Amino acid sequence: MAGHKGARFNDAEDSSDDEALRVAIALSLGQDPFKPQAGGKSSATIDLTQDDEDDDGSQSKSTVQLKPAAQDTKLSPPSKQASTTSAQAHSVSALFGLDRKKMEEERLARLKNKRPASAALESPSPTTARPHQRSKVSTSSYHNATGPQTIADLLLPESDEDETASSQGSSSLPVTGRMVKAGKQQANPSESGKGKVAATAASAEKSSIAGTTSGSRPKTELSFPHGAVKKTWVRGQARKGDDITIEEVFQKDKLQLAVLSTFILDEAWLFDKLDLMKTKLILCRGAPNQGEQISTWLDGFPTVRKHLVPMNGSGCMHSKLQLLKYKDHLRIVVPSANLVSFDWGETGDMENILFIIDLPLLDDPDVTRELTPFGEELLYFLKAKQLDDGLIRSLKKYDWTETRRYGFVHSIAASHVDDKAWRTGYCGLGRSVKALDLGTTKTIEMDVVAASLGSIKDSLLKALYYACQGDSGIKELESRPVGKKGQEAPDLGAVEVRKHTRVYFPSKNTVRTSIAKDAGTICFQKQWFEAPTFPREVLRDCVSTRPGMLMHNKMIFVRRTEESKNEPGMTVVSGFAYVGSANLSESAWGRLIKDRSTKKFKITCRNWECGVLIPAGTTTVASSSSAVPAEKQEEEGNGKGKGKAVVPGEMDDDSSWGVFEGHVPIPMRVPGSPLAFTGSKSPFFFGGF
């Protein structure tokens, strides 16, 4: 990535570090690091409603229901095991020369010298000192993990001996990612982010979408019972109640199980954010290429399981869905951020967006309720990813009532025919818009924020635009002009769509003047922009409302207007937003066709993506503003109307953006200035300036 020019991890160095860490972890767990571990397979049911700990804090042995299996390993008595483990862990700590207290004091001293006092007050302390540049995560030295062979192996209940060994081993040798790296030692993860959780919970009611309470009786107060959209915290930026840190998302002290998906992964950083002595982790990656990027040192973590998602052809596993299980509730997070430090604001130059909601455990988990459409689509998505059936079934034991106002939208990397075609890609988007009663036959305003642009043509813009009106995909397909092979015929419908669509992407000047000075994860090819079929006039400069930030957001804002029936001269504005992982490309949203041989409808998506539709409220604005009903735009543009003449491309220059206040934060400055074909106001292209 062009924007992250830090030194790559050295292959030989990685190999040495991986082996050292594996040995250390094995010793801390009371295992022989040089003896092959038994990899027997067991059939298991993963139940997210099962507690890993009893009320008295002891480990529960009923987390996983197993079929009888032969046990070849004999465990030592608890007292002997604990003392042996403690001694081994102490010797390993001495071997690496680790003085955790001293290391933490040195880290705090370095931070104090590097950062002004005001910055420390504005932002929680990070887990590591801010690097000068973001490091690339090397993939050349990564190999397929050969750890637990089944998810059942991952979730095996711990014995009393294992619990004792873990508790004593973790006190002298915490699991904090790579412990030795080029002569530098990593400090313990900071706990300062926890102090912000209460503040975040207090502001959740103000920033979340209001809704009725469910019939469940959660044992603890939920931070996001109605759902909320949050910006990711960024170092150095003042906190205003609309952002959240990765520590506040995970709440690792209470986290029992995490099912995480990501496109880019920094393992060492991620594992500093989790307590792998108490949290079980299922890490979803695309098969085969992304799966190979998970290094073999995962084998040292008995609580970690790698899950390879089927790719069904070219493309990528771009979804970032997070399922976080706690004692009495389930947290669902749908971010645009990957599991890397810079996407979560720790380098102070990149921001992301996320949707978050907490679902309480049902009063009687044995009695399941009917899922909401949101829940149905999420489970459909997980099943397509081939996650464990028991895990998916256990999700029905949570109360999904508060998700009824939202839509879960996904793209599944494959070709889908007939009924399945209408559930995914932009067809699924239109289906969800219609199900939430957000559809309309009138003109809408569509504003797209993307960190990556594909080879866009009018057909994709039309498909998304019509989907945001609630169309299933048929309207764009039937209006698709037929031209000669390799050429696209003139499309009169596309002209109208361009007038009401804006795509936000950073200019060269925006990137050059940003804190990062470069943008390796923001991608756009020059040849696509220069293609005659590319709708260049819809591009707008994406400038963050937070000074110097670049965006990795993927969002769609939709506004619709109609004359007020009760207030003459006023216009009522309503709308909704999409927040998720999908950029503006055919790979992300798919393409619908009618198969010539089978005469069946088929949509093909190349990427795994997911996002959430969030309805906004309503607001009333004066009709004399640019938020004028579409049927009056031509009249006013000719000077015959009483209001302001509307010029195509200036439709976002009005007060109608207030419809999203309190529902979805608007991360970019609106209206955005049009991008140019050349010069500093031309788009930033992949590969630099």
Side-chain angles (χ1 to χ4, degrees), residues 500-527:
H500 303 285
T501 300
R502 288 153 297 277
V503 177
Y504 285 78
F505 190 82
S507 66
K508 290 180 179 178
N509 183 66
T510 295
V511 174
R512 186 180 288 113
T513 57
S514 69
I515 294 174
K517 308 298 182 186
D518 203 349
T521 55
I522 296 177
C523 305
F524 186 26
Q525 299 290 343
K526 186 176 182 180
Q527 62 266 29

Side-chain angles (χ1 to χ4, degrees), residues 231-472:
K231 297 179 180 180
T232 53
W233 164 81
V234 176
R235 183 197 305 279
Q237 300 288 330
R239 304 199 71 177
K240 300 179 180 179
D242 62 351
D243 66 353
I244 192 168
T245 68
I246 188 69
E247 289 84 2
E248 291 164 355
V249 170
F250 282 167
Q251 294 182 294
K252 71 175 184 180
D253 288 346
K254 304 175 183 178
L255 184 59
Q256 296 180 351
L257 172 66
V259 182
L260 306 179
S261 300
T262 187
F263 177 56
I264 305 173
L265 173 66
D266 183 341
E267 296 158 317
W269 175 85
L270 172 61
F271 293 166
D272 275 343
K273 304 300 181 183
L274 301 172
D275 184 350
L276 293 179
M277 293 298 183
K278 66 170 62 172
T279 301
K280 299 177 178 69
L281 171 63
I282 300 175
L283 191 57
C284 300
R285 302 284 278 156
N289 296 332
Q290 286 180 300
E292 294 171 354
Q293 295 172 9
I294 304 180
S295 61
T296 54
W297 67 280
L298 276 177
D299 301 353
F301 296 91
T303 58
V304 178
R305 173 65 180 167
K306 178 176 66 176
H307 177 74
L308 299 183
V309 179
M311 290 309 304
N312 303 314
S314 61
C316 61
M317 210 296 296
H318 199 248
S319 162
K320 287 104 167 101
L321 178 65
Q322 300 178 6
L323 302 178
L324 308 174
K325 178 227 174 181
Y326 303 88
K327 185 175 182 179
D328 54 10
H329 71 281
L330 173 72
R331 173 167 289 181
I332 301 172
V333 187
V334 183
S336 64
N338 290 295
L339 294 175
V340 289
S341 62
F342 50 85
D343 269 4
W344 288 92
E346 295 189 0
T347 56
D349 52 17
M350 183 74 75
E351 66 177 307
N352 276 272
I353 197 85
L354 62 85
F355 170 83
I356 184 170
I357 190 169
D358 294 332
L359 308 184
L361 188 66
L362 290 170
D363 292 334
D364 186 357
D366 293 330
V367 179
T368 60
R369 295 186 186 178
E370 184 178 351
L371 290 173
T372 62
F374 181 101
E376 290 285 359
E377 289 307 312
L378 191 147
L379 266 63
Y380 179 82
F381 184 67
L382 296 178
K383 186 174 182 180
K385 293 177 85 170
Q386 298 182 2
L387 279 164
D388 182 80
D389 287 340
L391 184 151
I392 296 174
R393 286 194 303 271
S394 69
L395 293 174
K396 296 182 179 180
K397 298 182 180 181
Y398 292 91
D399 188 346
W400 292 78
T401 304
E402 291 299 326
T403 67
R404 69 189 182 281
R405 65 175 63 83
Y406 304 113
F408 187 81
V409 180
H410 52 73
S411 293
I412 298 172
S415 292
H416 310 270
V417 181
D418 284 345
D419 291 344
K420 292 183 178 180
W422 314 123
R423 299 188 70 168
T424 197
Y426 62 75
C427 294
L429 171 63
R431 181 173 182 256
S432 186
V433 168
K434 186 175 182 180
L436 293 172
D437 198 26
L438 298 172
T440 181
T441 58
K442 297 181 179 180
T443 301
I444 61 173
E445 299 300 320
M446 183 175 75
D447 295 79
V448 182
V449 182
S452 178
L453 299 179
S455 181
I456 303 171
K457 296 181 180 179
D458 283 320
S459 56
L460 178 60
L461 283 187
K462 286 170 53 185
L464 278 181
Y465 188 91
Y466 296 153
C468 288
Q469 291 180 314
D471 182 71
S472 63

